[in-house]
Amino acid sequence: MPNPYFRFKQFTIHQDRCAMKVTTDACLFGAWVAARIPEKASSVLDVGAGTGLLTLMIAQTGNRLIDAVEIQEADYQQAAENIGQTAWHASIRLMRGDVLDVVFQKKYDVIVSNPPFYERDLKGGEQPKNIAHHSEALSLGELLSFIRKQLVSGGSFFLLLPARREAELLRLLEPLGLHIHHCCYVQQTEKHAPFRIMVAGAFEKKEHKEEGRILIRNRNEYTPEFKTLLQPYYLHL
C-alpha cells in the first residue's frame, strides 16, 4: 500500500485520497521542468494537478503565478489541502473542472502536464484510477489542441509520457504548429530501455531538436544526474 504522505524538504504531499500517487518519474519530471522554466515566465498552468506535486515543485523555484486544474473531486480537495499548507499558497489558484470546459481569462507563458498515460488500454475496475491513468476525460490530441489555444506565442510547454507514445506525439504535434525543442529519455538503469519521455516544446521550430537521457539508478544508488535534479526537493539528498 502506498505511503499516505510523501515529505519533501519544503512541503508535504498527502495522497491517501488521490487516484494518482507520487511516483519517482513524476518527481523527476517536476524537477526537470522547474529547472527549465525561463526566468521571464510569470504565469504557469498545470493541467491535471493530481496531488499538487508538480505545481508545488514549480512554485518552490520562482516567484510565479500558477493556475492548476484538476477534474476529480477527491484529488482536488487533497491538492487544495497540500497547497494550502505551503508558503506559496497565495500565488497558486487551484480550479476544479475539465480543462476543456473551464473558461480561462488569459494565456500562459508555460503549460505543464503529466497527463493520463494510456489510451485504448485495458482498464481496471476503479473509475477514479481509470480517469487518472487512462485518457477517458482528456486525450493526448485534445491536450495538445488545448495547449495550442492557451499558450502565449513565445511560451513553452512540458509533457511527461510513456516512451512508446513518442511517435504518436510527433504525429499529433505537426498539424498544430507545435514543435519539440528537447526530448529527454528516462531509463530505470543502463540495462533498461527508456520507459518515459520528458518533452519541452514551443511554437517556434528549431533546426535541431536536443535529445538527452537520464538514468534513475546505477545499481542500488540514484545516479549523479538524478541527485542533482532532485537535491532541492528530496529530504535525504
Side-chain angles (χ1 to χ4, degrees):
M1 183 176 180
N3 195 321
Y5 65 90
F6 199 112
R7 195 178 303 280
F8 294 84
K9 286 182 177 177
Q10 296 191 41
F11 58 88
T12 298
I13 295 292
H14 294 273
Q15 58 178 5
D16 54 292
R17 304 197 306 275
C18 289
M20 184 71 80
K21 309 300 183 184
V22 172
T23 62
T24 301
D25 52 299
C27 293
L28 176 61
F29 178 60
W32 188 79
V33 169
R36 288 178 169 273
I37 291 180
E39 287 187 16
K40 64 179 182 179
S42 60
S43 61
V44 178
L45 176 64
D46 178 7
V47 178
T51 61
L53 171 67
L54 185 54
T55 291
L56 290 173
M57 293 183 79
I58 294 170
Q60 181 179 316
T61 63
N63 183 23
R64 303 181 180 94
L65 296 176
I66 305 175
D67 286 350
V69 184
E70 174 52 47
I71 192 170
Q72 301 198 85
E73 179 64 27
D75 296 61
Y76 166 79
Q77 293 293 341
Q78 190 143 58
E81 293 171 10
N82 289 334
I83 292 167
Q85 294 172 7
T86 71
W88 315 292
H89 65 90
S91 63
I92 298 170
R93 180 177 64 157
L94 181 64
M95 295 173 277
R96 161 79 165 87
D98 186 332
V99 294
L100 301 180
D101 296 329
V102 174
V103 177
F104 293 90
Q105 302 300 320
K106 63 180 180 181
K107 294 187 177 183
Y108 295 87
D109 298 317
V110 173
I111 298 178
V112 301
S113 186
N114 176 4
F117 277 167
Y118 308 109
E119 292 184 21
R120 301 176 297 277
D121 288 78
L122 184 65
K123 299 180 176 66
E126 297 182 46
Q127 185 64 8
K129 285 188 176 181
N130 285 337
I131 293 174
H133 293 277
H134 298 265
S135 302
E136 292 197 339
L138 183 67
S139 71
L140 181 56
E142 289 171 330
L143 172 61
L144 295 176
S145 294
F146 171 82
I147 289 173
R148 184 182 186 276
K149 176 184 175 184
Q150 294 299 141
L151 190 67
V152 299
S153 60
S156 303
F157 67 89
F158 298 89
L159 300 172
L160 176 67
L161 290 169
R164 65 180 177 81
R165 298 191 72 179
E166 181 180 6
E168 177 191 5
L169 174 64
L170 291 171
R171 176 177 58 80
L172 292 169
L173 283 173
E174 185 174 358
L176 294 173
L178 295 170
H179 304 280
I180 295 176
H181 286 188
H182 189 105
C183 184
C184 184
Y185 299 89
V186 181
Q187 298 171 231
Q188 294 285 6
T189 70
E190 182 73 55
K191 295 181 179 179
H192 291 81
F195 75 110
R196 298 284 184 264
I197 52 171
M198 302 188 296
V199 172
F203 286 110
E204 176 192 3
K205 186 174 183 178
K206 286 195 169 183
E207 186 174 351
H208 299 291
K209 179 181 72 174
E210 293 182 58
E211 292 188 353
R213 71 166 183 162
I214 293 178
L215 306 181
I216 293 177
R217 291 185 179 275
N218 182 9
R219 296 182 180 177
N220 294 322
E221 293 186 357
Y222 289 131
T223 62
E225 295 80 7
F226 183 90
K227 288 180 180 178
T228 297
L229 279 170
L230 274 299
Q231 192 277 332
Y233 306 97
Y234 272 18
L235 270 178
H236 303 296
L237 290 182

